[in-house]
Amino acid sequence: MTRSRTVRRLAAPTAVGLLPLLAACGTGTGTDAGTGSASHASDGEKTTAGSSGQLDIPADANADLKKRYLLENAIAACMRKQGFTYTPVAPEDPTASWATDGADYALTKKYRQKYGFGVYAGIVHPGDAAASGGSAAEEGSAPNADYVATLTPAQKTAYDKALGAPPDPKSGGKNWTGCQGEADKEVYGSASAQERSTSTENRNQANAQVLNGDPKLVALAQSYASCLKKEGIPVTTTQPTGIGEMVKLQALGSASAGAGVVPGVDEDGNTQESLSKEEALPLLTKDIELAMRDLECGKEFRAAYFPKFLKAPTSGGGAG
């Protein structure tokens, strides 16, 4: 796993409840339109974009997730009108992504017993999507990337323009451009992307304040921190919205050079060779031990935290 991909894996839970338009940030890649290639649905089953290039929306999708499906389908339809191939990628249900990040104790335990925090697991278990921490969108991105790779430089420029880009605050932009902009307006209406983003940010901050001020969660977070200290694990925050990810982020920050299946780049821009499987194995063992100690210390905290967090998610952290 590359360091950047690990960051995405660790940061993913904080996106719960974020503005759905963020799903479009990764829409420059997907599965090749018209091929019937499979993308992964939020429940772990496969959702296929058929000959029409449209995804079927799961019957149990909530309102936000449904709109993200509609957004992907609208982008695909728009791109076809522009003469380009684009297949929508089934979006991942953000709440489902928490299952092995603490919301479900049994599933999280099973995951961590094999992969730890996932820092070295991708090297020890090559080709294992769970080990690499890849999201559904990442797993389904290669075919469209392959399609784009067949375009000439001029065609690639035209493709990027047709697909569009996020709002540019420097130029006063408030909406996505291109097909992403058209799809965004079709699905979300007249409110600008910037306005919705601000509204969501305010809501997330308000939710975080409630969680961090909850007496029960504060007390459980203190007990969690005390347990970690007894285990010799540094505690840098006791806030309910931050403590659950604290140890995991520390593990990432202190990861050995080359802790990625793809060579990384250090602060000076020098390429770092990836660790070998033999070198990574003992590091994975330590990562698993650390992840399990963190899980057990935070068991009671997470059991109380997640039901409240999932009802009023925040962008400021969680209890992974």
Side-chain angles (χ1 to χ4, degrees):
M1 179 190 320
T2 62
R3 180 175 292 262
S4 62
R5 191 170 189 178
T6 306
V7 170
R8 290 198 299 274
R9 163 70 179 168
L10 298 183
T14 67
V16 177
L18 284 178
L19 181 64
L21 72 90
L22 293 178
C25 291
T27 56
T29 55
T31 45
D32 196 14
T35 65
S37 299
S39 296
H40 293 280
S42 59
D43 60 2
E45 297 180 355
K46 289 185 177 180
T47 295
T48 300
S51 59
S52 66
Q54 298 286 285
L55 292 167
D56 292 329
I57 302 174
D60 60 350
N62 60 32
D64 285 343
L65 186 59
K66 181 179 180 180
K67 286 185 176 181
R68 291 172 60 193
Y69 269 89
L70 291 173
L71 183 71
E72 283 286 309
N73 284 340
I75 293 172
C78 177
M79 289 296 282
R80 283 198 300 274
K81 291 180 180 178
Q82 299 293 325
F84 293 104
T85 295
Y86 178 90
T87 291
V89 177
E92 183 179 10
D93 184 347
T95 58
S97 69
W98 279 102
T100 56
D101 249 322
D104 187 314
Y105 171 80
L107 289 179
T108 303
K109 182 176 182 179
K110 183 178 180 180
Y111 179 90
R112 292 192 180 188
Q113 284 176 329
K114 183 175 182 179
Y115 306 118
F117 286 131
V119 181
Y120 304 99
I123 300 174
V124 178
H125 303 286
D128 187 332
S132 65
S135 68
E138 287 174 330
E139 291 171 23
S141 67
N144 228 12
D146 291 342
Y147 164 73
V148 173
T150 67
L151 302 178
T152 65
Q155 290 172 330
K156 174 64 165 55
T157 298
Y159 179 94
D160 290 340
K161 182 177 181 180
L163 184 60
D168 182 6
K170 293 182 179 179
S171 63
K174 295 183 178 181
N175 288 295
W176 289 77
T177 61
C179 283
Q180 294 185 98
E182 289 187 25
D184 187 76
K185 183 176 293 186
E186 177 182 328
V187 174
Y188 293 106
S190 59
S192 72
Q194 185 182 63
E195 290 170 340
R196 297 200 316 275
S197 179
T198 299
S199 176
T200 300
E201 182 179 354
N202 292 337
R203 182 188 65 198
N204 289 338
Q205 291 178 349
N207 289 345
Q209 289 178 351
V210 172
L211 292 170
N212 287 327
D214 186 297
K216 182 178 180 180
L217 295 182
V218 170
L220 288 172
Q222 292 290 344
S223 297
Y224 182 4
S226 296
C227 179
L228 291 175
K229 291 177 181 177
K230 290 179 181 178
E231 292 288 338
I233 301 173
V235 174
T236 58
T237 181
T238 58
Q239 280 196 329
T241 55
I243 193 169
E245 288 188 293
M246 179 191 66
V247 180
K248 183 165 57 177
L249 293 174
Q250 288 177 355
L252 173 64
S254 61
S256 301
V261 293
V262 177
V265 178
D266 62 22
E267 295 179 356
D268 297 323
N270 300 313
T271 300
Q272 299 173 321
E273 292 298 325
S274 295
L275 297 172
S276 66
K277 183 175 181 178
E278 291 71 24
E279 291 172 326
L281 186 57
L283 296 174
L284 172 59
T285 299
K286 292 181 179 179
D287 192 47
I288 290 173
E289 293 173 351
L290 178 63
M292 291 305 298
R293 292 203 301 271
D294 171 64
L295 180 64
E296 294 306 318
C297 280
K299 183 177 181 179
E300 291 186 17
F301 169 78
R302 290 185 173 92
Y305 180 84
F306 270 105
K308 297 180 180 182
F309 171 77
L310 294 176
K311 288 182 179 178
T314 82
S315 61

